């Protein structure tokens, strides 16, 4: 099987199953009739930008956050929002984003990649375990940023 086909199957498995270990992943691949070495699997995961992160229960699992436009910071942000965001609140010039546990820093990094880029024109972020605070220049800008983020969010 060609590399592209193998990687397409790998992406499908990650999207459809909660996979916690490479051994589990190899088991799913085996169900598709694929046998891979650990080195090949690791390389495929790296090329597909599939990472291991903690879920809301604190258990590590594989997750692909960026799909078609891996180089696009805005697409990464939208993917991250849809994957980990629980809610968005506004307090004066602050946008408070509540995430699944362990994802605060991850989402803050995605927001920071778009710092000073309208309409996500934020001054900076501070992240905790499950919360991101984005600082805006004004309450009006906070409303704009929160609205922009909410427009691209599908709460699960």
């Amino acid at each position: 099987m060609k590399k592209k086909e193998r990687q397409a199957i790998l992406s499908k498995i990650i999207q459809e199953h909660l996979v916690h270990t490479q051994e589990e992943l190899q088991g799913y691949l085996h169900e598709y009739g694929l046998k891979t070495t650990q080195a090949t699997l690791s390389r495929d995961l790296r090329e597909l930008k599939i990472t291991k992160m903690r879920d809301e229960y604190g258990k590590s699992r594989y997750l692909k956050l960026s799909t078609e436009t891996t180089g696009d910071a805005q697409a990464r942000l939208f993917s991250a929002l849809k994957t980990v965001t629980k809610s968005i609140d506004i307090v004066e010039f602050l946008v408070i984003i509540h995430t699944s546990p362990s994802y605060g820093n991850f989402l803050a990094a995605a927001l920071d990649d778009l710092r000073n880029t309208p309409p996500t024109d934020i001054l900076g972020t501070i992240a905790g375990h499950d919360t991101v605070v984005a600082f805006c220049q004004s309450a009006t800008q906070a409303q704009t940023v929160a609205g922009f983020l909410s427009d691209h969010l599908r709460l699960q």
Side-chain angles (χ1 to χ4, degrees), residues 19 21 25 47 49-50 53 55 71 76 107 126-127 129 134 145:
V19 181
T21 66
L25 195 49
E47 288 176 9
K49 304 216 184 306
I50 294 172
M53 299 181 72
D55 63 17
R76 280 195 308 276
L107 185 60
I126 295 179
H129 174 64
V145 169

Side-chain angles (χ1 to χ4, degrees), residues 90-151:
I90 304 166
V91 177
E92 297 285 329
F93 59 90
L94 305 173
V95 178
I96 296 45
I97 306 163
H98 302 277
T99 70
S100 298
S102 300
Y103 286 100
N105 282 318
F106 173 77
L107 185 60
L111 283 165
D112 286 340
D113 286 344
L114 291 172
R115 188 175 31 241
N116 300 320
T117 306
T120 53
D121 193 11
I122 58 173
L123 299 173
T125 61
I126 295 179
H129 174 64
D130 61 358
T131 306
V132 176
V133 178
F135 293 84
C136 300
Q137 290 192 6
S138 67
T140 302
Q141 183 61 25
Q143 289 281 345
T144 301
V145 169
F148 177 75
L149 298 176
S150 294
D151 287 345

Side-chain angles (χ1 to χ4, degrees), residues 17-24 28 51-63 84 100-103 129:
H17 303 280
L18 295 177
V19 181
H20 303 286
T21 66
Q22 281 196 2
E23 291 78 20
E24 284 181 54
Y28 283 116
T51 59
K52 199 170 191 182
M53 299 181 72
R54 295 200 181 279
D55 63 17
E56 58 268 22
Y57 305 107
K59 193 166 183 180
S60 292
R61 70 177 205 145
Y62 286 100
L63 188 62
V84 305
S100 298
S102 300
Y103 286 100
H129 174 64

